[in-house]
Amino acid sequence: MLRLENVTKTYRTRNGTFNALDDVSLHIEAGEFAVIRGASGCGKTTLLMTFAGMLRPTRGTVLFGDRDLYRMGSAERACFRAQNLGFVFQMFHLVPYLSIAENVLLPAAAAGLADPGTRAAELIDKLGLASRRHHDPTQLSAGEKQRTAVARAMLNEPRVILADEPTGNLDPDNARAVLGHLAEYHKGGGTVVIVTHGPEAAQFADKIIHLNAGRIDSNP
């Protein structure tokens, strides 16, 4: 489903250039739970954003099915992303002046769901947030914020959920809860890709990829 073919992402700095990704080729099959592990600064987030159509590589090809993401125009790519991808971030990225229900509903407009309110209410209940639906994010714990972000990512029933260090700001109990919800989504047929430096997600993985200094490490 997702393929990187010989992808390099180069950045220029005052001290010269460096490759955040260095000739990476990687395939994620439909229905897989893939975990990409590596130390901070190894290129994990760059890889995820490149997969997502949000960060154009310097060289190489990024395919979603048979679609080349970076041959699309920016508007077409944004629409494709809204219809096919869900995102979960370490820092939650909730809109602070919207309620939890409104945050969960945010992706609906871009994807054109027929009855997003019902779907949002079901997810809010399922993720244990029913008593918080009218609260704003400042009134939530870190675990509740991340469960809200997971509900938002699932709203459009995307083909793929991409998660960037989704348990990085959580205590062990909340980390297990968030990973459990992502694992359940995977069991329902969804594809999940998590990048992380920790070991917690490995128990759910069909595939574990190790990234080291921008390259796939075949001997982790």
Side-chain angles (χ1 to χ4, degrees), residues 190-203:
T191 303
V192 176
V193 182
I194 292 178
V195 301
T196 180
H197 66 270
E200 297 87 357
Q203 62 183 303

Side-chain angles (χ1 to χ4, degrees), residues 19-195:
N19 292 333
L21 297 176
D22 189 1
D23 196 33
V24 172
S25 294
L26 175 61
H27 297 184
I28 306 295
E29 302 296 335
E32 279 191 326
F33 193 117
V35 174
I36 301 169
R37 291 192 61 187
S40 295
C42 73
K44 300 188 304 296
T45 296
T46 299
L47 188 152
L48 200 71
M49 294 299 99
T50 303
F51 257 148
M54 298 171 72
L55 185 65
R56 184 181 293 275
T58 307
R59 293 187 300 277
T61 304
V62 182
L63 298 170
F64 190 113
D66 60 354
R67 303 289 300 277
D68 186 331
L69 290 183
Y70 293 99
R71 286 188 178 274
M72 300 179 188
S74 58
E76 181 185 6
R77 189 164 59 249
C79 183
F80 184 86
R81 193 163 53 233
Q83 293 173 346
N84 291 281
L85 300 173
F87 300 90
V88 183
F89 301 100
Q90 180 177 356
M91 299 305 295
F92 320 126
H93 293 310
L94 303 177
V95 180
Y97 54 82
L98 296 181
S99 71
I100 298 318
E102 290 167 336
N103 267 284
V104 173
L105 280 165
L106 276 175
L113 291 184
D115 187 13
T118 297
R119 170 74 174 158
E122 290 172 351
L123 285 168
I124 287 168
D125 289 347
K126 186 175 184 178
L127 272 72
L129 296 163
S131 64
R132 301 295 202 185
R133 69 176 71 241
H134 300 302
H135 289 64
D136 65 55
T138 63
Q139 298 171 295
L140 302 187
S141 69
E144 289 167 336
K145 289 176 183 177
Q146 196 60 295
R147 280 183 277 137
T148 300
V150 170
R152 179 183 60 192
M154 292 178 176
L155 181 72
N156 293 343
E157 298 183 271
R159 294 167 68 187
V160 181
I161 289 180
L162 301 173
D164 187 4
E165 297 283 7
T167 62
N169 285 328
L170 305 182
D171 62 71
D173 288 342
N174 277 300
R176 282 191 292 270
V178 165
L179 290 171
H181 289 301
L182 292 172
E184 186 175 353
Y185 194 81
H186 164 246
K187 288 178 181 177
T191 303
V192 176
V193 182
I194 292 178
V195 301

